[in-house]
Amino acid sequence: MFAILTAAKRAAPVAASSVRALTRVSAVRTYSSRILPTAAGASGGHSKLTVSSDTCRELQTSATLHSIIPYKLADIGEGITECEIIQWYVKPGDKVSQFDKICEVASDKATVEITSRYDGVIRKLHYQDNDIALVGKPIVDIEIDNPDMTSAEPAADSVAVPTSNPAQALPNNDAATEPTVVLADSVPKNFAVDRTSDVVYATPAVRRVARENNVDLHYVAGSGKGGRVLKEDVLRFVELQKSSTVPNVTVQELNTADQPFVQANASSTAPGISLSSASAVITGEDQLVSLSPIQRAMFKSMTDSLAIPHFRFKDEIELDALMQARQRINKYLAEQSGELTKMTYMPFFVKAASLALTKYPILNARVVAEAGTPPKLQFRASHNIGVAMDTPGGLIVPNIKNVQTKSLMDIATELGALAQRGRSGAIGSADLRGGTFTLSNVGMIGGTYLSPVLVDSEVCIGAVGKVQRLPRFETVEIDSRPVERVVPRHILVTSWSADHRVVDGATMARFAVLYKQLLEYPEIMLANMK
């Protein structure tokens, strides 16, 4: 018993000393955790803190509790390698959570929002508004609290909500805070516009027009969906600055998109809109302006198209029977309670193309020509028919997937949804990917005989002009005798282009004749539907 008490007395001072030492070390650790993140945040490495020898000789801590990671622009597909920064939703020092919006970017395909994958603090923006960002390169630096989140990240981190472009800035990039447009019946001289936020929604093409005319988009009223600024709004604003009154033009007049043709934005030459606004862009001195993302894509694809020999074919189609069928369908739709209340001609054009492609599948194929291997044809089962669409940002070609399985009403519904997304600049990369055949419909704008140009991923493209009421001969029997008379007919001219390397003229002609038959006799189209 005496031995046990003696051992306890000897151990007590040692235990007390250990407790005091541990308390001092704990205090040092608490103090170091408060001051180390700031110092380490700049280096991103490890920091070493030396304390007095009576506490501990040396204490080493890790600063990766606050790791700064480069947040990269994701690959959006379709061969997109760059995008233009439209606007930032964050600035250095802002806190972000997962799925918070970081910026809006525009590629040659569409405009999308980039969201965050982390919870943290924005430390650096690698680009300014209107700069060109490369896919796979950092766009921001984010300081995060949990370094384990970065251990298994892909090469490109950013999340695109519906787009992407190289690290070089557009010229005259002095308008870092690009504004928005609001259409009003009259605008006071100071052009002040009440806004609920500082975010301006406008496409790169619209922003370029604004820069060329020294227009601050924050003072312009947007007539597009959700207050989006359109090109017409900027041109109108320029005209307003030259005069003291505002022309009485309604939003409906600016966004007229009549039947039978797909048009996602208002034409600058629509009735009721002065053509003088078009000259507002060409004022002052000559300027050298970079191409917009859509223009860069057109430049590349059309340059590549020069290597494709085109075979062209044109024909006339009488639409009188189809017009009567459409009239009966629209009467039926008006009596229903569904979302689709009216059908344009475009669903008939698209479905007829799919039915004709079923018989001539080579026109739905693509040429596969790789270096060192003989060229091949890839026959594609899906009829993903693209429809050229005029949007505020330029011409884009979204496609309707698997038309061969869809009804006329299904196609009409999808076309309406695509046109709506086109007006608001929300066409996603999925809508643009995988097209196998294209119909370009410019009849609403004008033109009769067209020459559409192929892209290298397709072997056939069609274009339709405006519908005209023209005189035609008709043979009838009067008193058992054939008599010719002149009658009015509604005529549509279709123009086709095929890749003459793999498609011969006879195949193209037979396809066009079948397409004509399906539209002139809607009952034959009905009989071939599945």
Side-chain angles (χ1 to χ4, degrees):
M1 184 68 176
F2 176 77
I4 294 175
L5 291 174
T6 301
K9 289 179 180 180
R10 292 176 178 176
V14 176
S17 177
S18 300
V19 170
R20 287 194 297 272
L22 288 173
T23 301
R24 288 194 295 270
V25 171
S26 177
V28 172
R29 287 183 180 274
T30 302
Y31 176 72
S32 67
S33 67
R34 292 177 181 173
I35 65 172
L36 281 177
T38 301
S43 64
H46 295 278
S47 297
K48 185 180 291 186
L49 179 67
T50 304
V51 298
S52 58
S53 58
D54 63 338
T55 320
C56 63
R57 184 157 307 189
E58 191 175 68
L59 178 67
Q60 183 168 334
T61 62
S62 173
T64 56
L65 293 175
H66 292 270
S67 175
I68 294 181
I69 63 169
Y71 192 54
K72 300 174 184 177
L73 185 62
D75 181 8
I76 305 171
E78 284 294 290
I80 296 173
T81 60
E82 60 183 21
C83 70
E84 181 179 358
I85 302 294
I86 299 303
Q87 59 186 333
W88 289 100
Y89 298 117
V90 297
K91 59 183 180 299
D94 286 355
K95 292 184 178 181
V96 293
S97 302
Q98 295 185 46
F99 306 110
D100 283 355
K101 293 187 291 186
I102 293 179
C103 64
E104 182 181 29
V105 300
S107 73
D108 55 348
K109 301 293 186 180
T111 300
V112 298
E113 292 173 340
I114 301 299
T115 60
S116 175
R117 294 185 59 182
Y118 308 108
D119 299 331
V121 179
I122 301 295
R123 290 305 179 195
K124 178 181 178 181
L125 305 182
H126 287 268
Y127 301 97
Q128 300 298 322
D129 288 356
N130 304 317
D131 283 0
I132 304 300
L134 285 174
V135 170
K137 299 296 183 181
I139 53 174
V140 295
D141 289 345
I142 303 179
E143 181 180 340
I144 63 174
D145 296 332
N146 185 5
D148 294 336
M149 295 178 62
T150 65
S151 59
E153 292 303 323
D157 307 309
S158 60
V159 179
V161 177
T163 322
S164 306
N165 278 311
Q168 57 183 9
L170 289 176
N172 301 327
N173 188 21
D174 52 353
T177 56
E178 303 264 356
T180 309
V181 181
V182 176
L183 186 64
D185 293 335
S186 62
V187 181
K189 196 62 179 176
N190 61 4
F191 299 106
V193 177
D194 295 331
R195 297 192 177 282
T196 58
S197 68
D198 293 331
V199 177
V200 175
Y201 295 98
T203 63
V206 174
R207 293 175 183 274
R208 186 180 68 255
V209 173
R211 286 196 300 271
E212 292 171 351
N213 291 275
N214 297 319
V215 173
D216 184 349
L217 289 178
H218 285 102
Y219 297 105
V220 184
S223 62
K225 182 179 179 182
R228 183 175 292 272
V229 180
L230 306 180
K231 176 182 176 182
E232 289 82 359
D233 300 327
V234 178
L235 297 179
R236 180 168 301 281
F237 185 84
V238 173
E239 290 295 309
L240 292 179
Q241 295 183 82
K242 298 179 180 179
S243 62
S244 58
T245 60
V246 181
N248 186 18
V249 180
T250 64
V251 175
Q252 183 177 4
E253 289 175 316
L254 289 174
N255 292 277
T256 301
D258 199 5
Q259 304 299 334
F261 304 102
V262 174
Q263 189 178 20
N265 73 317
S267 171
S268 59
T269 60
I273 300 178
S274 174
L275 290 177
S276 62
S277 62
S279 63
V281 181
I282 312 174
T283 58
E285 299 179 355
D286 293 348
Q287 297 184 20
L288 185 63
V289 181
S290 298
L291 298 180
S292 69
I294 290 181
Q295 287 174 324
R296 286 196 296 270
M298 289 175 57
F299 184 91
K300 181 180 182 303
S301 62
M302 292 299 99
T303 301
D304 295 340
S305 296
L306 292 175
I308 302 175
H310 286 50
F311 175 83
R312 306 188 189 278
F313 185 92
K314 295 176 174 60
D315 200 2
E316 291 185 352
I317 300 176
E318 292 187 6
L319 291 185
D320 295 84
L322 181 62
M323 294 174 72
Q324 295 177 11
R326 172 178 169 267
Q327 186 177 10
R328 289 190 291 267
I329 292 175
N330 283 336
K331 182 179 179 180
Y332 164 78
L333 293 175
E335 298 171 352
Q336 306 303 309
S337 57
E339 296 182 0
L340 183 63
T341 59
K342 196 172 185 179
M343 186 177 295
T344 68
Y345 289 98
M346 200 60 189
F348 296 95
F349 298 161
V350 171
K351 188 62 181 181
S354 177
L355 293 173
L357 288 174
T358 302
K359 187 168 184 180
Y360 300 99
I362 189 174
L363 298 179
N364 196 55
R366 68 183 291 258
V367 176
V368 179
E370 299 178 353
T373 60
K376 300 178 182 179
L377 272 177
Q378 179 186 5
F379 284 81
R380 297 178 283 195
S382 297
H383 296 172
N384 300 338
I385 298 182
V387 179
M389 187 173 293
D390 186 22
T391 71
L395 183 71
I396 59 176
V397 188
N399 61 79
I400 303 173
K401 304 291 192 295
N402 299 310
V403 175
Q404 76 278 6
T405 65
K406 289 180 168 59
S407 67
L408 288 171
M409 296 180 64
D410 293 336
I411 297 170
T413 301
E414 287 202 31
L415 279 173
L418 286 174
Q420 182 66 27
R421 292 200 294 273
R423 281 189 288 267
S424 59
I427 293 289
S429 58
D431 297 322
L432 302 159
R433 186 182 300 123
T436 63
F437 186 92
T438 299
L439 278 178
S440 180
N441 196 339
V442 295
M444 180 60 190
I445 300 174
T448 305
Y449 299 94
L450 308 166
S451 296
V453 181
L454 286 164
V455 293
D456 57 8
S457 61
E458 299 175 5
V459 299
C460 187
I461 182 174
V464 295
K466 62 183 179 181
V467 178
Q468 302 179 90
R469 193 166 183 262
L470 300 173
R472 290 294 182 266
F473 285 103
E474 179 184 64
T475 302
V476 296
E477 284 193 5
I478 299 179
D479 297 333
S480 301
R481 293 183 305 168
V483 177
E484 284 190 339
R485 63 180 182 180
V486 177
V487 294
R489 289 287 185 262
H490 291 87
I491 304 299
L492 173 73
V493 175
T494 56
S495 304
W496 305 97
S497 295
D499 188 339
H500 212 1
R501 297 174 301 177
V502 294
V503 179
D504 56 67
T507 301
M508 183 73 259
R510 292 188 181 99
F511 171 90
V513 169
L514 176 58
Y515 185 82
K516 171 187 173 79
Q517 187 181 38
L518 293 170
L519 292 179
E520 288 188 340
Y521 303 96
E523 61 272 19
I524 296 180
M525 182 189 301
L526 177 65
N528 281 275
M529 289 185 184
K530 297 180 181 180

